[in-house]
Amino acid sequence: MLNITLPGLTLKNPVMPASGCFGFGKEFSNLYDLNKLGAIMIKAATPEARFGNETPRVAETPGGMLNAIGLQNPGLSGVIQTELPRLESFDVPIIANVAGSSIEDYMEVAERISQAPNVAALELNISCPNVKTGGIAFGTDPKMAADLTEAVKRVSSVPVYVKLSPNVTSISEIAIAVEQAGADGLTMINTLLGMRLDLKTGRPVLANKTGGLSGPAIKPVAIRMIHEVSRAVSIPIIGMGGIQSAEDVLEFLYAGASAVAVGTANFVNPFICSEIIDELPEMLSKYGFSHVRECIGRSHEDAPKPDYHRA
Amino acid sequence: MLNITLPGLTLKNPVMPASGCFGFGKEFSNLYDLNKLGAIMIKAATPEARFGNETPRVAETPGGMLNAIGLQNPGLSGVIQTELPRLESFDVPIIANVAGSSIEDYMEVAERISQAPNVAALELNISCPNVKTGGIAFGTDPKMAADLTEAVKRVSSVPVYVKLSPNVTSISEIAIAVEQAGADGLTMINTLLGMRLDLKTGRPVLANKTGGLSGPAIKPVAIRMIHEVSRAVSIPIIGMGGIQSAEDVLEFLYAGASAVAVGTANFVNPFICSEIIDELPEMLSKYGFSHVRECIGRSHEDAPKPDYHRA
Amino acid sequence: MIGKEDMQIVSHKEIAKDIFELVLQGELTRQMTKPGQFVHVKVSETFVPLLRRPISIARISREDRTFTIIYRKSGEGTALLSSKKPGEKADIIGPLGNGFPIDSSLKGKKVLLTGGGIGVPPLYELSRQLKAIGAVPVHVLGFENIEASFYKEEFARLGDTYFSTTDGSLGVKGFVTDAISYHEIEFDSLYACGPTPMLKALETRYTEREVYLSLEERMGCGIGACFACVCHIPNDPAGYKKVCSDGPVFRAGEVVLSC
Amino acid sequence: MIGKEDMQIVSHKEIAKDIFELVLQGELTRQMTKPGQFVHVKVSETFVPLLRRPISIARISREDRTFTIIYRKSGEGTALLSSKKPGEKADIIGPLGNGFPIDSSLKGKKVLLTGGGIGVPPLYELSRQLKAIGAVPVHVLGFENIEASFYKEEFARLGDTYFSTTDGSLGVKGFVTDAISYHEIEFDSLYACGPTPMLKALETRYTEREVYLSLEERMGCGIGACFACVCHIPNDPAGYKKVCSDGPVFRAGEVVLSC
Ligand SMILES: Cc1cc2nc3c(=O)[nH]c(=O)nc-3n(C[C@H](O)[C@H](O)[C@H](O)COP(=O)(O)OP(=O)(O)OC[C@H]3O[C@@H](n4cnc5c(N)ncnc54)[C@H](O)[C@@H]3O)c2cc1C
Ligand SMILES: Cc1cc2nc3c(=O)[nH]c(=O)nc-3n(C[C@H](O)[C@H](O)[C@H](O)COP(=O)(O)OP(=O)(O)OC[C@H]3O[C@@H](n4cnc5c(N)ncnc54)[C@H](O)[C@@H]3O)c2cc1C
Ligand SMILES: Cc1cc2nc3c(=O)[nH]c(=O)nc-3n(C[C@H](O)[C@H](O)[C@H](O)COP(=O)(O)O)c2cc1C
Ligand SMILES: Cc1cc2nc3c(=O)[nH]c(=O)nc-3n(C[C@H](O)[C@H](O)[C@H](O)COP(=O)(O)O)c2cc1C
Ligand code: FES
Ligand code: FES
């Protein structure tokens, strides 16, 4: 009652860890059997290895947290040679998060990483708020987002999902632009731009000054954006933003997501994805569903369901 | 050590209730002496009386709440004839929140209400997410925001503050546009657009479907926007978004606000403004300040302080 | 006068399935007068959940400065509240709203008090006060089932008391209206509190009598400032009443019952 | 193996000004071996505050499946933790990180354990284990003042123990380095935990000896997944170590001490 099929992805269940919140799976593989997961969204890869921003990189906020990791990663070669092979022992589709400072960067990473045997789809990170170049810049301009999507689609061997930024006036506008540019799906939302100041020094707590806000605090923003975008486009959405429980998963599916990703909650409870997957069947029954598919988009009374939902 | 002077406003202290979270003061006048307040931002007035949206109009979210009141108010005449006179017995400047569906609406309200004897400034509400026409539409387009500001400035007898929406790609762009159009100050932030779904019905909890997210959850977003905008413009900012304590006030001042407004917290603790004002002097001393002015903009090490701060 | 106080929890117990009786002590009790008023309870020390919870005052004891609330543990907030222990404090705002009207004209009159589920608690103080001024309270109380019923003897001590339950496990099977018909209860005026469909049924049925209804609506502030809890009034599109400060008790017909 | 468990609070008391000793019981204790490891503590049942708090393991007692943490009540999280009572549960993840290296080569060697403030707790289990293998622990403990000092006798029972305080109210006035100089302490290797400036001073001073330092950094996950807690390593711009999973204990020079 949990399986979902999306472009490039045959998911045992609709729950996967969100990019940047699960590393490359290594640490969690010591805690539970990763075969349980619907998929794994691995940490962003850039062409070159990056240290990222200076510390402090995280700060707590009411019901949420700020992070400014800054795309620290071992670089494309490191990911392909070390991280991805380690995940081959699991029967779980990998969604590779692709980042960079220029269209060429994205194309380079997308072309090579999409050829890795266990990479089933790409997630174009055009919404990272924590880097000076690239990242969010691509995600806030429909034209740039579309151009990038098109360029990456040309070189990718697997379906391409575009990760949308919530820091925009009209998220539907960006969603439509990337759909038209050939995106196979959307993932949303990335973090909201935020800041916290230290009362003693007066200065920002994060070395990077601003950071990305995630966690329960942003859930209502995510729900409304997914609700809106799922009406505006007909490609599927993987939803995220503050998910902490099986009930939250249900709310995201109702809003119009076809699957979900769990981010920050992995830090609070490293077993959370596994626990949510265990709880899903009973919770679905409790609310009268015999399959997760039935929940998708239920908040839109009159919305025609996109094709892949009818399958 | 608490007084602050801003265009049109001589404030005993930098703390005032935010619009829509204090009605027209009547209920609170039974609880404590309103003369304590720095100012009062009254509920939005539109030309005609409005019922607003259907109920449910509020829903809780993690660390925040959604509201979709929909600008319920007794109309311009009602406000001028009944509500404002009742506030005349207090020695507190009133900031009148001006709303409408068209430029003409705003101009009509602004012109008449700015002539009320106790109205010291206007707050142009171009950011209400809960009405179908007007409201947020004016707040997400720099050109429309500027035109509206200019039109209102022409007819207003008092300084005009423009209330900015956080639901935009670049809040500085809007801020700069309204500054150039003659705004005397900014108030920010209004609520973030959000949604909550009912697990049993699958439908939105709010009758209006979407609502405005306020409360502690949005504080980091408010801080980063004020931090950014206070560098981009040289008119003063009245900051708001999740303030619950004297410490929060300090954080907003550090970010670059010259005064603050407390919204949602009035619902949780109707005495909150009074309590915060009582706590301010000791808290300022604790952090080594002898006047609130010294806190303003401290998060910007190298930022030249705007003129009015030097006064 | 509305006040805010960290009140002492004197006792706190589960008196029926998921139904808790909480007795609080403090100065605020002195302000409590009319039955049907409510308090706004902060259920946690943090801002999760953020808002207070409105709960009716079920009994006022001015002598020992205590008052009682009775609530059903349903969602997150009431679950948190139910974990509080005697000796701890609870942050209370109150008394809020306007209660049921009571005056000497009711002396000797037969007053029917009808409540459904968690609408029952405020009727208890109401009945006590009615009895005190010489009115004759009669109670018809509706519950889900016998396990969820409470204060049966307490009400019986104040006047005739009848029951209805959805499953027939106590009293008449059906709604309070069924119990009123079944027992052919006569009365001069009617005071009711409970789910809106119940209030609506009563309003439609007893148009000839004096009927007062206590409403529920989702609240923000509880004091009349946020406009979360408004109801329409008949024949005036922009007109409204606020359940928290104009109500929660309204004369039948005063507000449109759909909210 | 890292595990997660709702552990039983066996005892919880304030042992110095704002310093709490918390003893927890449960299966997780069986996984705890090396001194210098830490646990990640959930301080509230809600998501405020959201993140866990890293606290060092101060004593492991495998016989009765208990372990002890000692923490200073400083911010919101530790304040909430301090209100938990014996009999209640605490949600713990652990053991985390790599502790201080201990092996038989230390037998008969003089090992100086130096801690500042809340860097002192992990040294207690470390000292116990060193003594158990026949090493000779010597302690130099720095505190703000005598009121904030703790476990003085406990350490003294394990070996020579010296103190420094900022105000001179206990031991040498100044820092731990002042106390080491004043007492002319000789040692073969040095294990330290405390504020970064202290660690830096020790690292600079004792370049000839074997020195291990336990670092603190703000954490997200505590298990190596979020990259919140990274430090630079010398001579490799993109290189890094994670304090939570590669540390918190590093050999002097292994990481750049500015984080
Ligand atoms: C004037 C008034 C008097 C009341 N008296 C009582 C009483 O004596 N005993 C009792 O058990 N209950 C009473 N209620 C209902 C009680 O307020 C709700 O059951 C309670 O708020 C539910 O909170 P929760 O956190 O458990 O539920 P949640 O579902 O987690 O609450 C979510 C939000 O919805 C609101 N909400 C949920 N249910 C209701 C409801 N039925 N009415 C209004 N708001 C609701 C909550 O206040 C909260 O803001 C009264 C309500 C009102 C308006
Ligand atoms: C490996 C390790 C071991 C530790 N062992 C101990 C111990 O045994 N005893 C003890 O009292 N303290 C110890 N600390 C420090 C302890 O984690 C902080 O004092 C605590 O997190 C403060 O939380 P708070 O909610 O009281 O403060 P807040 O200021 O409210 O915390 C806000 C945020 O900052 C983080 N933070 C604040 N101070 C520190 C700090 N010094 N180091 C890391 N993060 C911090 C918190 O975890 C939280 O995320 C250790 C820290 C680390 C990294
Ligand atoms: C510490 C941290 C690191 C993140 N790194 C990435 C990243 O590398 N790429 C990316 O697309 N999103 C990244 N994100 C965003 C998350 O994938 C997710 O979109 C966001 O956190 C909202 O979900 P949540 O509230 O469940 O955490 C990161 C989030 C956090 C908290
Ligand atoms: C119930 C409610 C009603 C509001 N009504 C108005 C309004 O009429 N005009 C306006 O400009 N802002 C209105 N706001 C926005 C607040 O003034 C404030 O900008 C926002 O809530 C953020 O501050 P807070 O987090 O302290 O509540 C309203 C907010 C709430 C919660
Ligand atoms: S609850 Fe705020 S006006 Fe009634
Ligand atoms: S705290 Fe997450 S990697 Fe160290």
Side-chain angles (χ1 to χ4, degrees):
Chain A
M1 68 195 295
L2 299 180
N3 62 304
I4 288 281
T5 308
L6 298 177
L9 300 167
T10 305
L11 308 174
K12 295 183 203 92
N13 63 67
V15 180
M16 61 193 86
S19 180
C21 302
F22 207 72
F24 294 94
K26 195 175 103 189
E27 293 76 17
F28 294 87
S29 68
N30 297 325
L31 302 181
Y32 62 86
D33 181 3
L34 301 188
N35 283 313
K36 277 186 86 168
L37 296 169
I40 297 175
M41 292 169 144
I42 56 173
K43 210 169 150 40
T46 54
E48 71 300 343
R50 288 197 189 181
F51 180 81
N53 295 316
E54 294 307 316
T55 57
R57 293 176 166 190
V58 297
E60 267 181 317
T61 70
M65 69 175 275
L66 294 168
N67 89 79
I69 306 297
L71 297 184
Q72 177 159 26
N73 79 95
L76 182 55
S77 306
V79 174
I80 289 181
Q81 282 154 29
T82 314
E83 306 297 348
L84 282 172
R86 213 187 338 245
L87 286 166
E88 278 181 38
S89 59
F90 301 102
D91 174 30
V92 178
I94 305 299
I95 303 175
N97 193 268
V98 175
S101 308
S102 63
I103 293 209
E104 291 68 37
D105 279 0
Y106 280 93
M107 288 173 72
E108 182 187 343
V109 176
E111 179 161 13
R112 283 186 54 204
I113 212 166
S114 67
Q115 287 163 21
N118 52 344
V119 167
L122 302 186
E123 181 181 37
L124 273 198
N125 183 355
I126 59 167
S127 43
C128 180
N130 298 324
V131 289
K132 297 233 154 32
T133 51
I136 205 167
F138 287 106
T140 51
D141 182 278
K143 174 83 173 60
M144 279 174 76
D147 289 349
L148 183 67
T149 305
E150 216 168 80
V152 166
K153 270 299 283 181
R154 270 203 307 276
V155 297
S156 173
S157 321
V158 295
V160 174
Y161 291 72
V162 180
K163 185 155 185 179
L164 303 185
S165 167
N167 303 291
V168 294
T169 308
S170 170
I171 193 159
S172 298
E173 194 185 346
I174 314 270
I176 291 167
V178 301
E179 179 182 38
Q180 283 170 353
D184 299 285
L186 302 171
T187 65
M188 58 192 285
I189 60 177
N190 211 317
T191 52
L192 281 161
L193 212 48
M195 182 185 271
R196 194 180 132 189
L197 303 175
D198 185 296
L199 292 178
K200 289 199 190 106
T201 65
R203 317 302 317 281
V205 170
L206 298 177
N208 187 52
K209 293 187 183 167
T210 60
L213 181 62
S214 64
I218 69 168
K219 199 181 74 172
V221 175
I223 293 289
R224 95 90 180 146
M225 288 187 163
I226 292 167
H227 181 89
E228 181 187 316
V229 169
S230 65
R231 305 207 111 178
V233 299
S234 53
I235 48 176
I237 297 170
I238 300 175
M240 64 199 78
I243 295 179
Q244 297 208 109
S245 65
E247 275 76 17
D248 289 340
V249 172
L250 193 63
E251 197 177 348
F252 275 77
L253 297 176
Y254 285 165
S258 298
V260 301
V262 178
T264 304
N266 290 292
F267 306 154
V268 182
N269 174 4
F271 299 91
I272 188 73
C273 289
S274 168
E275 290 177 8
I276 287 180
I277 292 165
D278 288 340
E279 286 165 22
L280 271 183
E282 198 180 323
M283 195 215 46
L284 288 173
S285 309
K286 176 177 159 196
Y287 288 101
F289 299 106
S290 55
H291 197 282
V292 274
R293 260 192 309 265
E294 299 159 15
C295 315
I296 299 169
R298 265 179 69 96
S299 60
H300 309 283
E301 193 166 31
D302 49 336
K305 296 200 173 159
D307 266 5
Y308 61 92
H309 286 154
R310 292 207 199 91
Chain B
M1 70 194 294
L2 299 180
N3 63 305
I4 287 282
T5 308
L6 299 177
L9 301 167
T10 306
L11 309 174
K12 298 183 203 90
N13 64 67
V15 180
M16 61 192 85
S19 179
C21 303
F22 208 71
F24 294 96
K26 196 175 102 187
E27 293 77 16
F28 295 87
S29 69
N30 298 325
L31 302 182
Y32 62 88
D33 181 3
L34 301 189
N35 283 314
K36 278 185 85 169
L37 297 169
I40 297 176
M41 292 169 143
I42 57 173
K43 208 170 151 43
T46 55
E48 72 300 344
R50 289 198 188 180
F51 180 81
N53 296 317
E54 294 308 317
T55 57
R57 293 173 165 193
V58 296
E60 267 182 317
T61 69
M65 69 176 273
L66 294 169
N67 90 79
I69 307 297
L71 297 183
Q72 177 159 30
N73 78 95
L76 182 55
S77 307
V79 174
I80 290 179
Q81 281 156 30
T82 314
E83 305 297 349
L84 282 172
R86 207 178 356 231
L87 286 166
E88 276 179 40
S89 58
F90 301 101
D91 173 29
V92 177
I94 306 298
I95 303 176
N97 193 270
V98 175
S101 309
S102 63
I103 293 209
E104 291 69 36
D105 278 1
Y106 281 92
M107 288 174 73
E108 181 186 344
V109 177
E111 179 160 16
R112 283 186 54 203
I113 214 166
S114 68
Q115 287 163 20
N118 51 346
V119 168
L122 301 186
E123 182 182 37
L124 273 197
N125 182 356
I126 58 166
S127 43
C128 179
N130 299 323
V131 290
K132 299 235 153 28
T133 51
I136 204 168
F138 287 106
T140 51
D141 182 279
K143 173 84 173 60
M144 280 175 75
D147 289 350
L148 182 68
T149 305
E150 216 168 80
V152 166
K153 271 299 284 180
R154 273 203 306 274
V155 298
S156 174
S157 319
V158 295
V160 175
Y161 290 72
V162 180
K163 183 155 185 179
L164 302 185
S165 167
N167 303 292
V168 294
T169 307
S170 170
I171 194 160
S172 297
E173 191 183 350
I174 314 269
I176 291 167
V178 302
E179 178 183 39
Q180 282 170 355
D184 299 284
L186 303 171
T187 66
M188 58 191 286
I189 57 174
N190 209 318
T191 51
L192 279 162
L193 211 49
M195 180 184 273
R196 195 181 130 186
L197 303 175
D198 186 296
L199 292 179
K200 289 201 189 106
T201 65
R203 317 302 317 278
V205 171
L206 298 177
N208 187 52
K209 293 186 181 167
T210 59
L213 181 63
S214 64
I218 69 169
K219 199 180 74 171
V221 175
I223 293 289
R224 94 91 179 149
M225 288 187 162
I226 292 167
H227 181 88
E228 179 186 317
V229 169
S230 66
R231 306 205 110 177
V233 301
S234 56
I235 49 177
I237 296 171
I238 301 176
M240 63 199 78
I243 295 178
Q244 296 207 107
S245 65
E247 273 78 16
D248 288 340
V249 171
L250 193 62
E251 195 176 348
F252 275 78
L253 298 174
Y254 285 165
S258 298
V260 301
V262 178
T264 304
N266 289 291
F267 306 154
V268 182
N269 174 5
F271 299 91
I272 188 75
C273 289
S274 169
E275 291 177 7
I276 287 178
I277 293 164
D278 288 342
E279 287 165 21
L280 270 184
E282 198 179 322
M283 194 216 45
L284 289 173
S285 310
K286 177 177 158 196
Y287 289 100
F289 299 106
S290 55
H291 197 284
V292 275
R293 260 193 308 266
E294 299 159 15
C295 315
I296 299 170
R298 264 180 68 96
S299 59
H300 308 281
E301 191 168 32
D302 49 334
K305 296 201 175 159
D307 265 7
Y308 61 93
H309 287 153
R310 294 205 199 92
Chain C
M1 260 281 291
I2 297 171
K4 175 172 171 295
E5 186 178 342
D6 277 334
M7 299 186 79
Q8 195 74 33
I9 300 181
V10 174
S11 101
H12 196 179
K13 48 185 185 234
E14 190 167 359
I15 56 171
K17 183 164 174 355
D18 285 335
I19 303 286
F20 289 76
E21 180 201 62
L22 173 61
V23 182
L24 295 158
Q25 188 172 49
E27 292 308 304
L28 224 52
T29 311
R30 296 194 202 280
Q31 308 295 331
M32 297 177 183
T33 46
K34 281 167 78 184
Q37 289 186 298
F38 64 100
V39 291
H40 223 184
V41 186
K42 183 115 182 60
V43 292
S44 94
E45 272 84 67
T46 70
F47 39 77
V48 176
L50 186 63
L51 299 174
R52 289 174 181 264
R53 298 295 188 259
I55 309 278
S56 305
I57 297 168
R59 183 178 196 281
I60 306 166
S61 173
R62 304 189 73 186
E63 311 81 62
D64 60 357
R65 295 178 305 123
T66 66
F67 77 99
T68 302
I69 59 178
I70 298 170
Y71 66 92
R72 181 166 58 212
K73 179 174 152 182
S74 46
E76 183 191 7
T78 46
L80 274 168
L81 183 59
S82 71
S83 69
K84 296 219 180 215
K85 297 188 182 60
E88 294 179 11
K89 302 264 184 176
D91 174 356
I92 304 288
I93 291 179
L96 301 175
N98 301 303
F100 293 97
I102 292 201
D103 63 49
S104 48
S105 69
L106 289 170
K107 195 167 166 173
K109 294 276 168 60
K110 200 162 173 186
V111 186
L112 176 57
L113 311 191
T114 301
I118 53 171
V120 168
L123 303 183
Y124 185 64
E125 178 64 22
L126 173 61
S127 183
R128 279 166 33 101
Q129 294 202 16
L130 283 170
K131 183 142 187 170
I133 62 154
V136 183
V138 180
H139 318 105
V140 177
L141 311 177
F143 295 104
E144 193 64 22
N145 50 44
I146 191 164
E147 287 77 34
S149 70
F150 55 88
Y151 266 41
K152 295 180 288 286
E153 278 126 53
E154 283 83 347
F155 276 102
R157 256 177 253 130
L158 295 168
D160 291 345
T161 304
Y162 307 93
F163 301 98
S164 71
T165 47
T166 317
D167 64 354
S169 54
L170 173 71
V172 175
K173 181 174 162 129
F175 300 109
V176 287
T177 40
D178 299 316
I180 300 173
S181 305
Y182 180 85
H183 297 292
E184 296 177 0
I185 299 170
E186 295 292 321
F187 55 90
D188 299 304
S189 48
L190 169 62
Y191 289 12
C193 184
T196 310
M198 176 190 114
L199 300 181
K200 197 148 193 144
L202 293 167
E203 186 180 66
T204 317
R205 201 148 152 183
Y206 301 107
T207 47
E208 312 288 277
R209 243 94 30 123
E210 201 160 59
V211 176
Y212 286 93
L213 308 172
S214 180
L215 270 62
E216 271 185 23
E217 184 53 76
R218 278 178 190 254
M219 293 188 174
C221 65
I223 64 169
C226 76
F227 290 77
C229 66
V230 296
C231 294
H232 286 283
I233 56 176
N235 312 320
D236 177 0
Y240 65 91
K241 293 279 176 185
K242 291 182 271 193
V243 171
C244 71
S245 54
D246 298 322
V249 178
F250 295 98
R251 185 190 289 266
E254 198 179 348
V255 297
V256 180
L257 283 185
S258 65
C259 57
Chain D
M1 261 280 292
I2 298 172
K4 176 171 171 292
E5 185 178 342
D6 277 335
M7 299 185 80
Q8 196 73 33
I9 300 182
V10 174
S11 105
H12 197 180
K13 46 185 187 237
E14 191 167 358
I15 56 171
K17 187 164 173 350
D18 286 335
I19 303 287
F20 290 76
E21 179 202 62
L22 173 61
V23 182
L24 294 158
Q25 188 172 49
E27 293 307 306
L28 224 51
T29 312
R30 298 194 201 280
Q31 309 294 332
M32 298 176 182
T33 47
K34 281 166 81 186
Q37 289 187 297
F38 64 100
V39 292
H40 223 183
V41 185
K42 182 114 183 62
V43 293
S44 94
E45 271 84 67
T46 70
F47 39 78
V48 175
L50 186 63
L51 299 175
R52 290 174 181 264
R53 298 296 189 258
I55 309 279
S56 304
I57 297 169
R59 184 178 196 281
I60 306 165
S61 172
R62 305 190 72 188
E63 309 82 63
D64 60 357
R65 295 177 305 124
T66 66
F67 77 100
T68 302
I69 59 178
I70 297 169
Y71 65 93
R72 180 165 60 212
K73 179 173 152 181
S74 48
E76 183 192 9
T78 45
L80 274 168
L81 183 60
S82 72
S83 70
K84 297 222 179 211
K85 297 189 182 59
E88 293 179 13
K89 303 264 184 176
D91 175 355
I92 304 288
I93 290 179
L96 302 174
N98 301 302
F100 291 98
I102 291 200
D103 62 51
S104 49
S105 70
L106 289 168
K107 195 165 167 174
K109 296 274 168 62
K110 200 160 173 186
V111 185
L112 176 57
L113 311 191
T114 301
I118 52 170
V120 169
L123 302 183
Y124 184 63
E125 177 64 22
L126 173 62
S127 183
R128 282 170 27 107
Q129 294 201 17
L130 283 170
K131 183 140 186 173
I133 61 153
V136 183
V138 180
H139 317 104
V140 177
L141 311 177
F143 295 104
E144 193 66 22
N145 50 45
I146 190 165
E147 286 78 34
S149 69
F150 54 89
Y151 267 42
K152 297 181 286 286
E153 279 126 54
E154 284 83 348
F155 276 101
R157 256 178 253 131
L158 295 168
D160 289 348
T161 304
Y162 307 93
F163 301 98
S164 72
T165 49
T166 319
D167 64 356
S169 54
L170 173 71
V172 174
K173 182 175 161 128
F175 300 109
V176 287
T177 39
D178 299 315
I180 299 172
S181 305
Y182 180 84
H183 296 291
E184 298 178 357
I185 298 172
E186 296 291 322
F187 55 91
D188 299 302
S189 48
L190 169 62
Y191 288 11
C193 183
T196 310
M198 176 192 114
L199 301 181
K200 198 148 192 143
L202 293 167
E203 186 181 63
T204 317
R205 204 149 149 181
Y206 302 106
T207 47
E208 311 287 280
R209 244 114 4 144
E210 201 162 57
V211 175
Y212 286 93
L213 309 171
S214 180
L215 271 62
E216 270 184 22
E217 184 53 76
R218 278 179 191 254
M219 291 188 175
C221 65
I223 62 167
C226 75
F227 290 76
C229 66
V230 296
C231 294
H232 284 285
I233 56 176
N235 312 319
D236 177 2
Y240 65 92
K241 294 278 175 185
K242 291 183 270 193
V243 171
C244 69
S245 54
D246 298 321
V249 178
F250 296 97
R251 183 191 291 265
E254 198 180 347
V255 297
V256 180
L257 282 184
S258 64
C259 59

